[in-house]
Amino acid sequence: MPPKCGARRAKNRGRNSVFDISSMGAGTQMIVAFFLLMALRVPVAFALGLSAMYAMWQIGFGFDLAGDLIATGIAKYALLAIPFFILAGTLMGTLGIAERMIRFFRILIGNLPGGMGVVGTVVCLFWGAVSGSGPASVAAIGPMIIKGMEEDGYPRAAAAALVCTGAAFSIVIPPSIGLVIYGVIAETSISALFIAAIIPGLFMGVLMLVILPFIKSTNREGLDRLSPTPPSNGYWRDLGQSFRESFWGLMTPVVILGGIYSGIFTPTEAALVATVYAIAVGAFAYRTLTIRALYDALTEAASSSAVVMLVVAYASLFGWVVTVEDLVGQYSSQLLGLSDNGGVILMVIMLILLIAGMFMDPVTVMFISLPIFLPVVRELGWDPVWFGVLVMVNLAIGLITPPVGINLYVAANITRQPLERIARAALPFLAISVIGLAIVAAVPALSLFLPEVLK
């Protein structure tokens, strides 16, 4: 090669080194590789694992270390709550408990302004105290609520959008799988997180009701249903009968949350109690438990749990590289250097979480971002419990944010509606949810009032 040409190439290489991925650290390369794999539609868990193992190879560690890191990452007692809460929610749907609950709420509050819209909101939030998973809630109770709302005059897309939003906030209403994982990562009391999330979760649900009068109904009868309807002569009889039929299902949140807050059992033990309770109700109260129903619930719960736990397992590799490469120190210091104003930094963090939540599930977002954000939280003196609730509200909004909100995809699948139509119908709910997020961020007392009272 001629010397002049070689010198020119070396000069250009030096000039473009900032764009050369090989000039980046192994940790930064890992993050770039992760997003490239995501763009290629590689499943999230495998994108985490492959990018992390690439970084480990770059650093010089053998892959034999990966097995130990994965085992350490998932061998945490608190994580046992995840599969059991998923199983409890699946059993509640499979054994007909959810259907009885919906029937009760439809009779109880179906005559209020908004009719089935109010019922759908209440049931979604109530179901959050059983399932703890947004997409699972859409799949479990979405078909029944959407059908009822259509009969009540709501367009199918608007009904699907309401279910998507209500189910999204089920990850805020305790018990919440997201709050369990946040507590593990942040080493914060899960019980305190559950208590703190009650008022913000209910507050976000109330804000959803504000949108109902602005959802156009498909017929005159539907418009009439947006005004109060006096109870019929048989109202109290029907209400009493539906209450008796749904009583044991309605007691589920009381058993779970009451046991946690009274100190009878821990949140992890509560997940097992919820599972046993659902089986007992199906077997003895409703007599809907069959071998086939139990098998279907177990297989569905195992499949859903495997997805979550696979993300957790490979995220432990990802987190190890983040620690070894000191990405936490690098990126958190850069974040703190953005401004002296804590409010500005909080807005940046919320924006990052919102954008990330559009493309990834909440579990993945937390494992990637929290190791970087939590040192900032500690440095600025923010309450980690309040911040955890804020993270959950933010990630819940991500579940309904186009173009990739996971709940929107689930709703499109069960309603056979175009994703774009449901996404447009979800925009009013998205707007009011962002306003709610701003209020939860600006008024920490919403999250910290109950933990202070119950200390």
Side-chain angles (χ1 to χ4, degrees):
M1 179 185 296
K4 187 178 293 185
C5 181
R8 186 184 303 118
R9 184 165 297 180
K11 183 178 179 180
N12 289 337
R13 188 164 55 242
R15 182 182 301 162
N16 297 326
S17 60
V18 70
F19 304 105
D20 186 1
I21 192 170
S22 63
S23 66
M24 303 176 183
T28 304
Q29 289 185 47
M30 175 184 70
I31 293 174
V32 172
F34 169 74
F35 284 108
L36 286 175
L37 290 170
M38 287 285 292
L40 295 173
R41 297 187 179 275
V42 175
V44 170
F46 296 112
L48 283 168
L50 290 172
S51 58
M53 285 190 280
Y54 166 77
M56 291 174 67
W57 172 71
Q58 285 285 85
I59 297 171
F61 284 89
F63 291 151
D64 54 337
L65 182 62
D68 294 334
L69 291 172
I70 289 174
T72 303
I74 61 176
K76 295 176 180 176
Y77 175 71
L79 293 177
L80 285 173
I82 295 174
F84 282 112
F85 273 134
I86 291 175
L87 177 57
T90 304
L91 285 166
M92 296 282 282
T94 303
L95 301 180
I97 300 172
E99 186 176 355
R100 288 173 171 84
M101 289 164 47
I102 291 173
R103 188 181 305 128
F104 167 72
F105 283 117
R106 185 169 190 176
I107 295 173
L108 176 65
I109 58 179
N111 292 314
L112 293 176
M116 272 301 296
V118 179
V119 174
T121 303
V122 172
V123 171
C124 285
L125 296 177
F126 193 89
W127 190 257
V130 178
S131 169
S133 169
S137 296
V138 176
I141 61 176
M144 291 177 280
I145 293 176
I146 291 169
K147 180 182 177 182
M149 289 185 67
E150 280 192 284
E151 293 172 353
D152 215 20
Y154 287 91
R156 178 175 292 189
L162 180 140
V163 171
C164 286
T165 308
F169 289 117
S170 70
I171 73 169
V172 181
I173 299 287
S176 161
I177 293 172
L179 288 173
V180 170
I181 292 176
Y182 176 89
V184 171
I185 297 174
E187 299 180 350
T188 302
S189 168
I190 296 173
S191 296
L193 289 167
F194 280 3
I195 295 172
I198 293 175
I199 294 179
L202 295 176
F203 172 70
M204 299 302 292
V206 170
L207 285 181
M208 287 177 58
L209 301 179
V210 176
I211 300 300
L212 293 182
F214 301 98
I215 300 177
K216 294 181 180 179
S217 295
T218 56
N219 52 49
R220 181 66 243 173
E221 180 184 358
L223 288 172
D224 292 340
R225 295 290 291 113
L226 292 178
S227 60
T229 302
S232 62
N233 293 332
Y235 171 78
W236 295 108
R237 183 188 66 249
D238 295 341
L239 181 63
Q241 181 180 346
S242 66
F243 177 75
R244 287 191 298 271
E245 291 176 352
S246 62
F247 174 77
W248 295 108
L250 295 172
M251 286 297 292
T252 307
V254 178
V255 172
I256 297 173
L257 301 179
I260 293 173
Y261 302 150
S262 63
I264 297 175
F265 41 73
T266 66
T268 304
E269 293 166 345
L272 182 57
V273 170
T275 300
V276 174
Y277 180 81
I279 293 174
V281 169
F284 303 112
Y286 299 149
R287 300 185 183 278
T288 53
L289 180 65
T290 62
I291 298 297
R292 182 65 191 181
L294 183 60
Y295 175 79
D296 290 343
L298 286 170
T299 52
E300 183 180 343
S303 176
S304 300
S305 301
V307 172
V308 177
M309 297 308 294
L310 198 59
V311 170
V312 173
Y314 285 126
S316 61
L317 291 182
F318 202 93
W320 181 84
V321 175
V322 166
T323 302
V324 169
E325 286 290 285
D326 193 30
L327 294 185
V328 172
Q330 295 175 32
Y331 293 144
S332 60
S333 61
Q334 291 178 15
L335 193 57
L336 287 168
L338 289 175
S339 173
D340 294 331
N341 189 324
V344 173
I345 296 175
L346 182 62
M347 288 178 61
V348 172
I349 291 176
M350 294 296 100
L351 182 61
I352 292 172
L353 289 173
L354 185 61
I355 294 173
M358 291 166 54
F359 299 96
M360 293 179 283
D361 63 277
V363 176
T364 305
V365 174
M366 283 191 289
F367 271 105
I368 292 176
S369 64
L370 288 182
I372 296 171
F373 294 155
L374 287 172
V376 177
V377 171
R378 299 186 188 101
E379 180 69 24
L380 295 175
W382 295 340
D383 190 301
V385 172
W386 164 77
F387 184 74
V389 174
L390 203 56
V391 168
M392 284 303 105
V393 174
N394 202 304
L395 294 179
I397 295 174
L399 291 173
I400 60 167
T401 305
V404 195
I406 298 173
N407 281 14
L408 301 178
Y409 276 96
V410 178
N413 184 52
I414 64 177
T415 60
R416 307 299 179 191
Q417 291 278 301
L419 178 66
E420 295 79 9
R421 184 176 298 173
I422 297 177
R424 283 197 300 271
L427 289 178
F429 294 103
L430 179 60
I432 199 71
S433 297
V434 172
I435 294 172
L437 173 65
I439 294 173
V440 173
V443 187
L446 284 174
S447 305
L448 301 178
F449 174 74
L450 280 182
E452 288 294 330
V453 170
L454 297 176
K455 270 187 179 179

